[in-house]
Amino acid sequence: MSSDDFDIDLGGGSGSSDSGGGGGRRGLVVAAAGLTLLVLVVVLVAFVFGGIVTVDEGTRAVHTSQGKVVGVYGPGWHVKLPVIDGAHHFDVRTQEYTMSSSSGEGVKSNRDDSITALSSEGMELDIDVTVRYHVVPNEVDAIYSTVGTSNEEINRKIVRPTARSAVRSCAAEYEGLQIYSTDRDRFRTCINSQLSAEFEANGVALETVQIRNVQLPPKVVEAINEKQATEKRLEKKETEIEIEKKEKERAVIEAEAEAEQIRIKGEALRDNPEILQLRYIDAIRSNPNTVYIPSDSGLTLTREVDSPNGNANATNNSSRVVAGPAAAVDPSLFAAVGVDPPRVAPV
């Protein structure tokens, strides 16, 4: 294209000059239109991606204009001016902040993050704590102005230092073993009370504090274990003594029952002495080497025994007499009925 194409004949000219000038003007108009369209597209894209704010349920966004807080966006879509306006999001749902000695737990899970505190008697305790809280939705603009622009800053500036301070302050009011066992609920209530006031002043609402673990010094743990072992041994000994006492009581009861049984038998036999004689006869009947001697009761029983020379019917003086099992019947039974036992005489 030559330079002549851009000449404009203001005073009139030939038809060819008019034709060339009209083409140049049309080119400028097209270029200007294209540039305008490009600007409009850029503005539209910027408006779409920078001029619309989406706020999810459970969150709030602080609306700023030229750096100043001008309001709070609730859940939904909102329009703002790109570059000029800003939106800073806060999660207002329940949050947890854990400080623990266990690996893999809490915000600082790569190291021991438990709270070291001293009890009233100076015992050093390592305490694991979880703080549950939420940001007050209507306070996010004040939090943005005084604390920070995110939940992470709330944890770093409010939750963590306030919780650690409250735990140490309350620990100083109780003995170590009280915090460990008997007064843990009161200890937790003390922490709740202190945290609630501090959190409320900074736009945060405390929900609860959990005492996850209380670690005592190793020597104290050893002493507690020894005490528990001693108590278990004492309980075992007391149980054994109680068992022995019950056994003695049972033996006395059995002895009394046996004595009563003998008394009743004695009375029965005294009234029926022939029963005793029959029992005695049954007791010695199975012994073949026994001779029966008449007794004062009037009962006479005789039986031949083997002689030394093998004569089964021998009754001379060479006869051998073997005593029968007189002890097979309790002698006290004879005394109980007032009867002399039959006499068995060995030779």
Side-chain angles (χ1 to χ4, degrees), residues 38-57:
L38 178 61
V39 171
L40 290 175
V41 170
V42 171
V43 171
L44 180 62
V45 171
F47 181 79
V48 170
F49 290 97
I52 297 179
V53 178
T54 301
V55 180
D56 295 331
E57 190 67 43

Side-chain angles (χ1 to χ4, degrees), residues 86-103:
H88 306 273
H89 295 261
F90 287 87
D91 194 331
V92 296
R93 292 167 292 192
T94 297
Q95 306 290 312
E96 281 191 353
Y97 192 92
T98 297
M99 292 162 281
S100 172
S101 60
S102 300
S103 177

Side-chain angles (χ1 to χ4, degrees), residues 53 61-73 79-88 90 140-141 144-145 149:
V53 178
V62 176
H63 177 203
T64 59
S65 180
Q66 297 180 346
K68 297 180 180 180
V69 176
V70 294
V72 176
Y73 292 137
V79 178
K80 70 181 182 64
L81 296 177
V83 181
I84 297 175
D85 290 348
H88 306 273
F90 287 87
V140 292
D141 51 347
Y144 178 86
S145 300
T149 61

Side-chain angles (χ1 to χ4, degrees), residues 187-209:
F187 174 61
R188 183 177 61 84
T189 301
C190 175
I191 298 172
N192 266 326
S193 178
Q194 292 195 19
L195 284 185
S196 294
E198 291 288 338
F199 279 16
E200 184 178 356
N202 290 280
V204 178
L206 177 68
E207 295 181 5
T208 186
V209 174

Side-chain angles (χ1 to χ4, degrees), residues 157-284:
K157 296 180 179 180
I158 302 298
V159 178
R160 180 180 177 84
T162 305
R164 297 179 77 88
S165 175
V167 169
R168 293 190 176 104
S169 175
C170 291
E173 299 180 12
Y174 297 90
E175 295 181 357
L177 294 181
Q178 289 178 324
I179 297 174
Y180 181 77
S181 58
T182 57
D183 287 332
R184 182 174 294 197
D185 285 342
R186 292 175 58 194
F187 174 61
R188 183 177 61 84
T189 301
C190 175
I191 298 172
N192 266 326
S193 178
Q194 292 195 19
L195 284 185
S196 294
E198 291 288 338
F199 279 16
E200 184 178 356
N202 290 280
V204 178
L206 177 68
E207 295 181 5
T208 186
V209 174
Q210 295 177 330
I211 307 300
R212 298 165 58 91
N213 183 49
V214 178
Q215 183 64 44
L216 300 173
K219 290 184 178 180
V220 176
V221 174
E222 183 179 350
I224 291 175
N225 292 336
E226 179 61 28
K227 179 182 178 182
Q228 292 177 343
T230 302
E231 290 176 350
K232 288 182 179 180
R233 288 194 295 268
L234 290 175
E235 290 177 358
K236 181 179 179 181
K237 188 64 177 178
E238 290 175 355
T239 301
E240 292 175 352
I241 293 174
E242 187 66 23
I243 292 175
E244 291 178 359
K245 181 179 178 181
K246 295 295 184 183
E247 288 292 333
K248 289 180 180 180
E249 292 177 354
R250 184 182 63 82
V252 170
I253 293 173
E254 289 180 352
E256 292 176 348
E258 184 177 357
E260 180 65 15
Q261 185 179 15
I262 292 174
R263 185 187 66 79
I264 294 173
K265 286 183 177 179
E267 291 179 354
L269 293 175
R270 187 164 49 247
D271 295 337
N272 302 279
E274 63 275 9
I275 296 177
L276 182 60
Q277 295 291 349
L278 290 174
R279 287 189 180 181
Y280 181 73
I281 292 170
D282 289 338
I284 62 177

